[in-house]
Amino acid sequence: RRGQGIGTRLLDELAALCREEGLGRIRLDVVDTNPAARRLYERLGFVHLGWEGTSMTMIRQLGTAVR
């Protein structure tokens, strides 16, 4: 189902729910063997925070809209 916007919609909904709960950011880890997921997260405003083993830690601030 890649390229159909499902991941974008899910992450946008997650961000909206987190904002409603008063959270200021979302943190996730993505394995280095999944470049498609990393591109999606970057497009949605996640930035690289660091590495933990073979996983990249990324964070998205929720204060402002990405698009």
Side-chain angles (χ1 to χ4, degrees):
R1 297 285 186 178
R2 283 188 184 153
Q4 295 182 8
I6 296 168
T8 298
R9 288 194 309 269
L10 286 170
L11 287 167
D12 284 345
E13 183 65 24
L14 174 64
L17 290 170
C18 288
R19 277 191 207 99
E20 288 175 14
E21 292 296 319
L23 301 174
R25 64 182 176 248
I26 300 171
R27 178 190 177 268
L28 58 81
D29 295 317
V30 60
V31 293
D32 61 357
T33 57
N34 195 346
R38 180 178 172 186
R39 284 189 301 273
L40 170 65
Y41 301 143
E42 288 172 340
R43 185 171 54 79
L44 294 176
F46 286 86
V47 295
H48 178 232
L49 196 60
W51 286 94
E52 194 169 314
T54 59
S55 295
M56 174 189 284
T57 300
M58 301 182 84
I59 193 166
R60 175 180 170 183
Q61 299 296 330
L62 299 175
T64 59
V66 176
R67 298 191 269 324

Short mmCIF file of all heavy atoms in Angstrom, two decimals:
data_model
loop_
_atom_site.label_atom_id
_atom_site.label_comp_id
_atom_site.label_asym_id
_atom_site.label_seq_id
_atom_site.Cartn_x
_atom_site.Cartn_y
_atom_site.Cartn_z
N ARG A 1 0.81 -1.21 0.00
CA ARG A 1 0.00 0.00 0.00
C ARG A 1 0.85 1.27 0.00
O ARG A 1 0.33 2.35 0.28
CB ARG A 1 -0.91 0.01 1.21
CG ARG A 1 -1.91 -1.10 1.26
CD ARG A 1 -2.99 -0.82 0.29
NE ARG A 1 -4.04 -1.82 0.42
CZ ARG A 1 -5.12 -1.77 -0.30
NH1 ARG A 1 -5.27 -0.83 -1.17
NH2 ARG A 1 -6.02 -2.68 -0.16
N ARG A 2 2.13 1.15 -0.28
CA ARG A 2 2.98 2.35 -0.31
C ARG A 2 2.49 3.32 -1.36
O ARG A 2 2.02 2.94 -2.42
CB ARG A 2 4.42 1.97 -0.60
CG ARG A 2 5.11 1.40 0.60
CD ARG A 2 6.59 1.22 0.35
NE ARG A 2 7.18 0.56 1.51
CZ ARG A 2 8.25 -0.17 1.46
NH1 ARG A 2 8.87 -0.36 0.32
NH2 ARG A 2 8.73 -0.72 2.55
N GLY A 3 2.66 4.60 -1.06
CA GLY A 3 2.31 5.64 -2.01
C GLY A 3 0.84 6.01 -2.05
O GLY A 3 0.43 6.81 -2.87
N GLN A 4 0.04 5.45 -1.16
CA GLN A 4 -1.39 5.74 -1.15
C GLN A 4 -1.79 6.72 -0.04
O GLN A 4 -2.97 7.01 0.13
CB GLN A 4 -2.19 4.45 -1.02
CG GLN A 4 -2.02 3.54 -2.21
CD GLN A 4 -2.85 2.26 -2.10
OE1 GLN A 4 -3.68 2.12 -1.21
NE2 GLN A 4 -2.63 1.35 -3.00
N GLY A 5 -0.82 7.21 0.72
CA GLY A 5 -1.11 8.21 1.74
C GLY A 5 -1.57 7.66 3.08
O GLY A 5 -1.91 8.43 3.98
N ILE A 6 -1.57 6.35 3.22
CA ILE A 6 -2.06 5.75 4.47
C ILE A 6 -1.15 6.10 5.65
O ILE A 6 -1.62 6.51 6.71
CB ILE A 6 -2.20 4.22 4.31
CG1 ILE A 6 -3.26 3.91 3.26
CG2 ILE A 6 -2.54 3.57 5.65
CD1 ILE A 6 -3.29 2.47 2.81
N GLY A 7 0.15 5.96 5.46
CA GLY A 7 1.10 6.30 6.53
C GLY A 7 1.02 7.76 6.92
O GLY A 7 1.06 8.11 8.11
N THR A 8 0.89 8.63 5.93
CA THR A 8 0.77 10.06 6.20
C THR A 8 -0.48 10.35 7.01
O THR A 8 -0.43 11.08 8.01
CB THR A 8 0.72 10.85 4.88
OG1 THR A 8 1.95 10.64 4.18
CG2 THR A 8 0.54 12.34 5.13
N ARG A 9 -1.60 9.76 6.62
CA ARG A 9 -2.84 9.99 7.36
C ARG A 9 -2.75 9.47 8.79
O ARG A 9 -3.21 10.12 9.73
CB ARG A 9 -4.03 9.36 6.63
CG ARG A 9 -4.40 10.12 5.36
CD ARG A 9 -5.76 9.72 4.80
NE ARG A 9 -5.95 8.30 4.62
CZ ARG A 9 -5.67 7.62 3.50
NH1 ARG A 9 -5.18 8.25 2.47
NH2 ARG A 9 -5.90 6.32 3.43
N LEU A 10 -2.16 8.29 8.96
CA LEU A 10 -2.02 7.73 10.31
C LEU A 10 -1.15 8.61 11.20
O LEU A 10 -1.50 8.89 12.36
CB LEU A 10 -1.42 6.33 10.22
CG LEU A 10 -2.33 5.23 9.73
CD1 LEU A 10 -1.53 3.96 9.47
CD2 LEU A 10 -3.43 4.96 10.74
N LEU A 11 -0.02 9.06 10.66
CA LEU A 11 0.87 9.89 11.47
C LEU A 11 0.29 11.28 11.73
O LEU A 11 0.48 11.84 12.82
CB LEU A 11 2.24 9.99 10.81
CG LEU A 11 3.05 8.70 10.91
CD1 LEU A 11 4.25 8.75 9.97
CD2 LEU A 11 3.50 8.46 12.33
N ASP A 12 -0.45 11.83 10.77
CA ASP A 12 -1.12 13.11 11.01
C ASP A 12 -2.18 12.97 12.10
O ASP A 12 -2.32 13.85 12.96
CB ASP A 12 -1.75 13.64 9.73
CG ASP A 12 -0.73 14.24 8.77
OD1 ASP A 12 0.42 14.52 9.19
OD2 ASP A 12 -1.09 14.44 7.59
N GLU A 13 -2.92 11.87 12.08
CA GLU A 13 -3.93 11.64 13.12
C GLU A 13 -3.27 11.44 14.48
O GLU A 13 -3.75 11.95 15.50
CB GLU A 13 -4.80 10.43 12.75
CG GLU A 13 -5.91 10.16 13.73
CD GLU A 13 -6.97 11.25 13.80
OE1 GLU A 13 -7.13 12.01 12.83
OE2 GLU A 13 -7.64 11.33 14.85
N LEU A 14 -2.18 10.70 14.51
CA LEU A 14 -1.43 10.51 15.75
C LEU A 14 -0.97 11.86 16.31
O LEU A 14 -1.10 12.14 17.50
CB LEU A 14 -0.23 9.59 15.54
CG LEU A 14 0.70 9.42 16.73
CD1 LEU A 14 -0.02 8.76 17.89
CD2 LEU A 14 1.93 8.64 16.32
N ALA A 15 -0.44 12.70 15.43
CA ALA A 15 0.03 14.02 15.86
C ALA A 15 -1.12 14.85 16.42
O ALA A 15 -0.97 15.51 17.46
CB ALA A 15 0.70 14.76 14.69
N ALA A 16 -2.28 14.80 15.77
CA ALA A 16 -3.43 15.55 16.26
C ALA A 16 -3.86 15.05 17.64
O ALA A 16 -4.16 15.85 18.54
CB ALA A 16 -4.59 15.43 15.26
N LEU A 17 -3.90 13.74 17.82
CA LEU A 17 -4.27 13.17 19.12
C LEU A 17 -3.26 13.56 20.20
O LEU A 17 -3.65 13.88 21.33
CB LEU A 17 -4.38 11.66 19.02
CG LEU A 17 -5.57 11.13 18.21
CD1 LEU A 17 -5.43 9.62 17.99
CD2 LEU A 17 -6.88 11.44 18.91
N CYS A 18 -1.99 13.53 19.86
CA CYS A 18 -0.96 13.91 20.83
C CYS A 18 -1.10 15.38 21.23
O CYS A 18 -0.97 15.72 22.40
CB CYS A 18 0.43 13.65 20.25
SG CYS A 18 0.84 11.89 20.13
N ARG A 19 -1.38 16.25 20.25
CA ARG A 19 -1.59 17.67 20.56
C ARG A 19 -2.78 17.84 21.50
O ARG A 19 -2.71 18.62 22.45
CB ARG A 19 -1.83 18.46 19.28
CG ARG A 19 -0.58 18.86 18.56
CD ARG A 19 -0.90 19.87 17.44
NE ARG A 19 0.11 19.74 16.42
CZ ARG A 19 -0.03 19.05 15.29
NH1 ARG A 19 -1.15 18.43 15.01
NH2 ARG A 19 0.96 18.98 14.43
N GLU A 20 -3.87 17.12 21.22
CA GLU A 20 -5.06 17.20 22.07
C GLU A 20 -4.74 16.78 23.50
O GLU A 20 -5.34 17.30 24.46
CB GLU A 20 -6.18 16.31 21.53
CG GLU A 20 -6.83 16.83 20.28
CD GLU A 20 -7.85 15.86 19.70
OE1 GLU A 20 -8.25 14.90 20.40
OE2 GLU A 20 -8.23 16.05 18.53
N GLU A 21 -3.82 15.85 23.66
CA GLU A 21 -3.42 15.38 24.99
C GLU A 21 -2.37 16.29 25.63
O GLU A 21 -1.92 16.03 26.73
CB GLU A 21 -2.88 13.95 24.90
CG GLU A 21 -3.94 12.93 24.55
CD GLU A 21 -5.02 12.81 25.62
OE1 GLU A 21 -4.69 12.82 26.81
OE2 GLU A 21 -6.21 12.71 25.23
N GLY A 22 -1.97 17.33 24.92
CA GLY A 22 -1.02 18.28 25.47
C GLY A 22 0.44 17.89 25.29
O GLY A 22 1.31 18.48 25.92
N LEU A 23 0.70 16.91 24.44
CA LEU A 23 2.08 16.50 24.20
C LEU A 23 2.73 17.43 23.19
O LEU A 23 2.09 17.91 22.26
CB LEU A 23 2.12 15.06 23.70
CG LEU A 23 1.51 14.03 24.66
CD1 LEU A 23 1.48 12.66 24.00
CD2 LEU A 23 2.27 13.99 25.96
N GLY A 24 4.02 17.66 23.36
CA GLY A 24 4.72 18.60 22.50
C GLY A 24 5.55 17.98 21.40
O GLY A 24 6.05 18.68 20.52
N ARG A 25 5.71 16.65 21.45
CA ARG A 25 6.54 16.01 20.43
C ARG A 25 6.25 14.52 20.37
O ARG A 25 5.69 13.94 21.29
CB ARG A 25 8.01 16.26 20.69
CG ARG A 25 8.50 15.63 21.98
CD ARG A 25 9.97 15.96 22.21
NE ARG A 25 10.37 15.42 23.49
CZ ARG A 25 10.68 16.13 24.55
NH1 ARG A 25 10.67 17.44 24.48
NH2 ARG A 25 11.04 15.56 25.66
N ILE A 26 6.66 13.93 19.24
CA ILE A 26 6.58 12.49 19.03
C ILE A 26 7.99 11.99 18.78
O ILE A 26 8.74 12.60 18.01
CB ILE A 26 5.70 12.13 17.81
CG1 ILE A 26 4.28 12.65 17.97
CG2 ILE A 26 5.70 10.62 17.57
CD1 ILE A 26 3.44 12.51 16.71
N ARG A 27 8.34 10.88 19.39
CA ARG A 27 9.65 10.26 19.20
C ARG A 27 9.44 8.86 18.65
O ARG A 27 8.52 8.16 19.06
CB ARG A 27 10.38 10.16 20.53
CG ARG A 27 11.73 9.48 20.45
CD ARG A 27 12.26 9.23 21.86
NE ARG A 27 13.51 8.52 21.82
CZ ARG A 27 13.64 7.20 21.88
NH1 ARG A 27 12.57 6.43 21.96
NH2 ARG A 27 14.82 6.63 21.85
N LEU A 28 10.27 8.47 17.69
CA LEU A 28 10.19 7.12 17.16
C LEU A 28 11.57 6.63 16.77
O LEU A 28 12.52 7.41 16.70
CB LEU A 28 9.24 7.06 15.95
CG LEU A 28 9.53 7.94 14.74
CD1 LEU A 28 10.59 7.35 13.84
CD2 LEU A 28 8.25 8.14 13.95
N ASP A 29 11.67 5.34 16.56
CA ASP A 29 12.91 4.72 16.09
C ASP A 29 12.61 4.02 14.78
O ASP A 29 11.57 3.38 14.63
CB ASP A 29 13.44 3.71 17.10
CG ASP A 29 13.86 4.36 18.40
OD1 ASP A 29 14.49 5.42 18.35
OD2 ASP A 29 13.54 3.81 19.47
N VAL A 30 13.51 4.15 13.83
CA VAL A 30 13.37 3.49 12.54
C VAL A 30 14.68 2.75 12.24
O VAL A 30 15.76 3.29 12.43
CB VAL A 30 13.01 4.49 11.41
CG1 VAL A 30 14.06 5.56 11.23
CG2 VAL A 30 12.73 3.78 10.11
N VAL A 31 14.55 1.50 11.81
CA VAL A 31 15.75 0.71 11.53
C VAL A 31 16.41 1.22 10.25
O VAL A 31 15.74 1.70 9.34
CB VAL A 31 15.46 -0.80 11.43
CG1 VAL A 31 15.03 -1.36 12.77
CG2 VAL A 31 14.42 -1.09 10.37
N ASP A 32 17.72 1.09 10.20
CA ASP A 32 18.46 1.62 9.05
C ASP A 32 18.19 0.86 7.76
O ASP A 32 18.54 1.32 6.68
CB ASP A 32 19.96 1.68 9.35
CG ASP A 32 20.57 0.32 9.65
OD1 ASP A 32 19.84 -0.68 9.70
OD2 ASP A 32 21.80 0.26 9.85
N THR A 33 17.52 -0.29 7.84
CA THR A 33 17.19 -1.06 6.64
C THR A 33 15.82 -0.67 6.06
O THR A 33 15.34 -1.34 5.15
CB THR A 33 17.20 -2.57 6.94
OG1 THR A 33 16.28 -2.84 8.00
CG2 THR A 33 18.59 -3.05 7.32
N ASN A 34 15.22 0.41 6.57
CA ASN A 34 13.91 0.85 6.10
C ASN A 34 13.96 2.31 5.63
O ASN A 34 13.39 3.19 6.26
CB ASN A 34 12.87 0.66 7.20
CG ASN A 34 11.46 0.76 6.67
OD1 ASN A 34 11.22 1.19 5.56
ND2 ASN A 34 10.51 0.35 7.49
N PRO A 35 14.64 2.57 4.51
CA PRO A 35 14.78 3.94 4.04
C PRO A 35 13.45 4.58 3.62
O PRO A 35 13.29 5.80 3.73
CB PRO A 35 15.75 3.84 2.86
CG PRO A 35 15.65 2.43 2.41
CD PRO A 35 15.34 1.62 3.64
N ALA A 36 12.48 3.79 3.16
CA ALA A 36 11.18 4.36 2.78
C ALA A 36 10.48 4.97 3.99
O ALA A 36 9.90 6.06 3.90
CB ALA A 36 10.30 3.29 2.13
N ALA A 37 10.53 4.29 5.11
CA ALA A 37 9.92 4.83 6.33
C ALA A 37 10.64 6.09 6.77
O ALA A 37 10.01 7.08 7.14
CB ALA A 37 9.95 3.79 7.44
N ARG A 38 11.96 6.07 6.69
CA ARG A 38 12.74 7.26 7.08
C ARG A 38 12.36 8.46 6.22
O ARG A 38 12.17 9.56 6.74
CB ARG A 38 14.23 6.96 6.96
CG ARG A 38 15.08 8.13 7.35
CD ARG A 38 16.54 7.80 7.26
NE ARG A 38 17.34 9.00 7.46
CZ ARG A 38 18.64 9.03 7.34
NH1 ARG A 38 19.31 7.94 7.04
NH2 ARG A 38 19.29 10.14 7.52
N ARG A 39 12.19 8.26 4.92
CA ARG A 39 11.80 9.36 4.03
C ARG A 39 10.41 9.89 4.41
O ARG A 39 10.18 11.11 4.42
CB ARG A 39 11.83 8.92 2.57
CG ARG A 39 13.22 8.82 2.01
CD ARG A 39 13.21 8.60 0.49
NE ARG A 39 12.51 7.39 0.09
CZ ARG A 39 13.06 6.19 0.01
NH1 ARG A 39 14.35 6.03 0.32
NH2 ARG A 39 12.35 5.14 -0.38
N LEU A 40 9.49 8.98 4.72
CA LEU A 40 8.16 9.40 5.14
C LEU A 40 8.24 10.26 6.39
O LEU A 40 7.67 11.35 6.46
CB LEU A 40 7.27 8.18 5.41
CG LEU A 40 5.93 8.46 6.09
CD1 LEU A 40 5.01 9.28 5.19
CD2 LEU A 40 5.26 7.15 6.51
N TYR A 41 8.96 9.78 7.39
CA TYR A 41 9.07 10.52 8.64
C TYR A 41 9.72 11.88 8.43
O TYR A 41 9.27 12.89 8.98
CB TYR A 41 9.86 9.72 9.68
CG TYR A 41 9.25 8.37 10.00
CD1 TYR A 41 10.05 7.27 10.25
CD2 TYR A 41 7.87 8.18 10.04
CE1 TYR A 41 9.51 6.02 10.54
CE2 TYR A 41 7.32 6.94 10.33
CZ TYR A 41 8.14 5.87 10.57
OH TYR A 41 7.60 4.64 10.86
N GLU A 42 10.75 11.94 7.62
CA GLU A 42 11.41 13.22 7.34
C GLU A 42 10.45 14.18 6.64
O GLU A 42 10.40 15.37 6.96
CB GLU A 42 12.67 13.01 6.51
CG GLU A 42 13.79 12.38 7.30
CD GLU A 42 14.99 11.98 6.46
OE1 GLU A 42 14.85 11.84 5.21
OE2 GLU A 42 16.07 11.79 7.04
N ARG A 43 9.68 13.66 5.69
CA ARG A 43 8.72 14.50 4.98
C ARG A 43 7.66 15.07 5.93
O ARG A 43 7.17 16.18 5.73
CB ARG A 43 8.05 13.68 3.88
CG ARG A 43 7.12 14.48 2.99
CD ARG A 43 6.63 13.70 1.78
NE ARG A 43 6.01 12.44 2.09
CZ ARG A 43 4.76 12.28 2.54
NH1 ARG A 43 4.00 13.32 2.73
NH2 ARG A 43 4.28 11.08 2.79
N LEU A 44 7.36 14.34 6.98
CA LEU A 44 6.35 14.78 7.95
C LEU A 44 6.93 15.59 9.10
O LEU A 44 6.23 15.90 10.06
CB LEU A 44 5.60 13.56 8.49
CG LEU A 44 4.76 12.83 7.45
CD1 LEU A 44 4.13 11.59 8.05
CD2 LEU A 44 3.71 13.74 6.86
N GLY A 45 8.21 15.95 8.99
CA GLY A 45 8.79 16.85 9.98
C GLY A 45 9.63 16.22 11.06
O GLY A 45 10.09 16.90 11.97
N PHE A 46 9.84 14.91 11.00
CA PHE A 46 10.72 14.25 11.97
C PHE A 46 12.17 14.55 11.62
O PHE A 46 12.53 14.60 10.44
CB PHE A 46 10.50 12.73 11.96
CG PHE A 46 9.22 12.28 12.61
CD1 PHE A 46 8.04 12.25 11.89
CD2 PHE A 46 9.21 11.89 13.94
CE1 PHE A 46 6.85 11.83 12.48
CE2 PHE A 46 8.03 11.47 14.54
CZ PHE A 46 6.85 11.44 13.81
N VAL A 47 12.98 14.77 12.64
CA VAL A 47 14.40 15.04 12.43
C VAL A 47 15.22 14.01 13.20
O VAL A 47 14.79 13.48 14.23
CB VAL A 47 14.80 16.47 12.86
CG1 VAL A 47 14.13 17.50 11.97
CG2 VAL A 47 14.46 16.72 14.31
N HIS A 48 16.41 13.77 12.69
CA HIS A 48 17.34 12.79 13.27
C HIS A 48 17.83 13.29 14.63
O HIS A 48 18.30 14.41 14.75
CB HIS A 48 18.50 12.58 12.30
CG HIS A 48 19.53 11.65 12.80
ND1 HIS A 48 20.86 12.00 12.82
CD2 HIS A 48 19.47 10.40 13.29
CE1 HIS A 48 21.56 10.98 13.31
NE2 HIS A 48 20.73 10.01 13.60
N LEU A 49 17.73 12.45 15.64
CA LEU A 49 18.17 12.80 16.98
C LEU A 49 19.43 12.04 17.37
O LEU A 49 20.29 12.58 18.05
CB LEU A 49 17.04 12.50 17.97
CG LEU A 49 17.11 13.10 19.35
CD1 LEU A 49 17.14 14.62 19.27
CD2 LEU A 49 15.92 12.65 20.17
N GLY A 50 19.56 10.80 16.92
CA GLY A 50 20.72 9.99 17.26
C GLY A 50 20.52 8.55 16.85
O GLY A 50 19.50 8.19 16.26
N TRP A 51 21.52 7.74 17.14
CA TRP A 51 21.47 6.31 16.81
C TRP A 51 21.46 5.49 18.08
O TRP A 51 22.12 5.84 19.06
CB TRP A 51 22.68 5.91 15.98
CG TRP A 51 22.61 6.38 14.57
CD1 TRP A 51 23.14 7.53 14.07
CD2 TRP A 51 21.97 5.74 13.48
NE1 TRP A 51 22.86 7.64 12.73
CE2 TRP A 51 22.15 6.55 12.34
CE3 TRP A 51 21.25 4.56 13.34
CZ2 TRP A 51 21.64 6.22 11.10
CZ3 TRP A 51 20.74 4.22 12.10
CH2 TRP A 51 20.94 5.04 10.99
N GLU A 52 20.72 4.40 18.04
CA GLU A 52 20.72 3.41 19.12
C GLU A 52 20.84 2.05 18.44
O GLU A 52 19.87 1.53 17.90
CB GLU A 52 19.43 3.52 19.93
CG GLU A 52 19.48 2.79 21.23
CD GLU A 52 18.30 3.14 22.11
OE1 GLU A 52 17.97 4.33 22.23
OE2 GLU A 52 17.70 2.19 22.65
N GLY A 53 22.05 1.53 18.39
CA GLY A 53 22.29 0.30 17.63
C GLY A 53 22.08 0.55 16.15
O GLY A 53 22.66 1.46 15.58
N THR A 54 21.21 -0.23 15.53
CA THR A 54 20.92 -0.05 14.11
C THR A 54 19.65 0.77 13.87
O THR A 54 19.15 0.84 12.75
CB THR A 54 20.77 -1.42 13.41
OG1 THR A 54 19.70 -2.13 14.03
CG2 THR A 54 22.05 -2.22 13.50
N SER A 55 19.14 1.40 14.92
CA SER A 55 17.92 2.21 14.80
C SER A 55 18.24 3.69 14.94
O SER A 55 18.99 4.09 15.82
CB SER A 55 16.91 1.83 15.89
OG SER A 55 16.46 0.52 15.70
N MET A 56 17.65 4.46 14.05
CA MET A 56 17.77 5.92 14.11
C MET A 56 16.61 6.45 14.95
O MET A 56 15.45 6.12 14.71
CB MET A 56 17.70 6.52 12.71
CG MET A 56 17.66 8.04 12.73
SD MET A 56 17.33 8.75 11.11
CE MET A 56 18.93 8.51 10.37
N THR A 57 16.93 7.26 15.94
CA THR A 57 15.90 7.91 16.73
C THR A 57 15.56 9.23 16.05
O THR A 57 16.43 9.99 15.67
CB THR A 57 16.40 8.17 18.16
OG1 THR A 57 16.73 6.91 18.76
CG2 THR A 57 15.35 8.88 19.00
N MET A 58 14.24 9.45 15.89
CA MET A 58 13.76 10.68 15.23
C MET A 58 12.71 11.32 16.12
O MET A 58 12.05 10.66 16.92
CB MET A 58 13.16 10.35 13.86
CG MET A 58 14.15 9.68 12.92
SD MET A 58 13.44 9.36 11.29
CE MET A 58 13.72 10.97 10.53
N ILE A 59 12.56 12.63 15.98
CA ILE A 59 11.61 13.37 16.79
C ILE A 59 10.88 14.40 15.92
O ILE A 59 11.46 14.94 14.98
CB ILE A 59 12.32 14.05 17.98
CG1 ILE A 59 11.32 14.56 18.99
CG2 ILE A 59 13.27 15.14 17.52
CD1 ILE A 59 11.95 14.94 20.31
N ARG A 60 9.61 14.61 16.24
CA ARG A 60 8.82 15.62 15.56
C ARG A 60 8.20 16.54 16.61
O ARG A 60 7.48 16.08 17.51
CB ARG A 60 7.70 14.99 14.72
CG ARG A 60 6.78 16.01 14.09
CD ARG A 60 5.69 15.36 13.27
NE ARG A 60 4.69 16.34 12.88
CZ ARG A 60 3.58 16.04 12.20
NH1 ARG A 60 3.35 14.79 11.84
NH2 ARG A 60 2.73 16.98 11.89
N GLN A 61 8.50 17.82 16.52
CA GLN A 61 7.89 18.80 17.39
C GLN A 61 6.47 19.04 16.90
O GLN A 61 6.22 19.09 15.70
CB GLN A 61 8.68 20.11 17.39
CG GLN A 61 10.10 19.96 17.90
CD GLN A 61 10.17 19.56 19.36
OE1 GLN A 61 9.31 19.86 20.18
NE2 GLN A 61 11.25 18.86 19.71
N LEU A 62 5.52 19.20 17.80
CA LEU A 62 4.12 19.33 17.42
C LEU A 62 3.58 20.73 17.50
O LEU A 62 2.40 20.96 17.25
CB LEU A 62 3.26 18.40 18.29
CG LEU A 62 3.58 16.92 18.17
CD1 LEU A 62 2.75 16.12 19.17
CD2 LEU A 62 3.36 16.42 16.77
N GLY A 63 4.41 21.70 17.79
CA GLY A 63 3.93 23.07 17.96
C GLY A 63 3.39 23.73 16.72
O GLY A 63 2.49 24.54 16.77
N THR A 64 3.91 23.36 15.53
CA THR A 64 3.47 23.98 14.30
C THR A 64 3.20 22.93 13.24
O THR A 64 3.75 21.85 13.27
CB THR A 64 4.54 24.95 13.75
OG1 THR A 64 5.74 24.22 13.53
CG2 THR A 64 4.81 26.09 14.72
N ALA A 65 2.36 23.27 12.31
CA ALA A 65 2.03 22.34 11.21
C ALA A 65 3.20 22.23 10.25
O ALA A 65 3.93 23.19 10.02
CB ALA A 65 0.79 22.84 10.47
N VAL A 66 3.36 21.04 9.69
CA VAL A 66 4.46 20.80 8.75
C VAL A 66 4.06 21.26 7.35
O VAL A 66 4.86 21.82 6.62
CB VAL A 66 4.83 19.30 8.73
CG1 VAL A 66 5.87 19.01 7.69
CG2 VAL A 66 5.33 18.87 10.09
N ARG A 67 2.82 21.02 6.95
CA ARG A 67 2.40 21.38 5.60
C ARG A 67 1.51 22.59 5.63
O ARG A 67 0.75 22.87 6.42
CB ARG A 67 1.64 20.23 4.93
CG ARG A 67 2.49 19.02 4.79
CD ARG A 67 1.83 18.00 3.92
NE ARG A 67 0.97 16.99 4.42
CZ ARG A 67 1.05 16.32 5.56
NH1 ARG A 67 1.92 16.64 6.44
NH2 ARG A 67 0.24 15.36 5.85
#
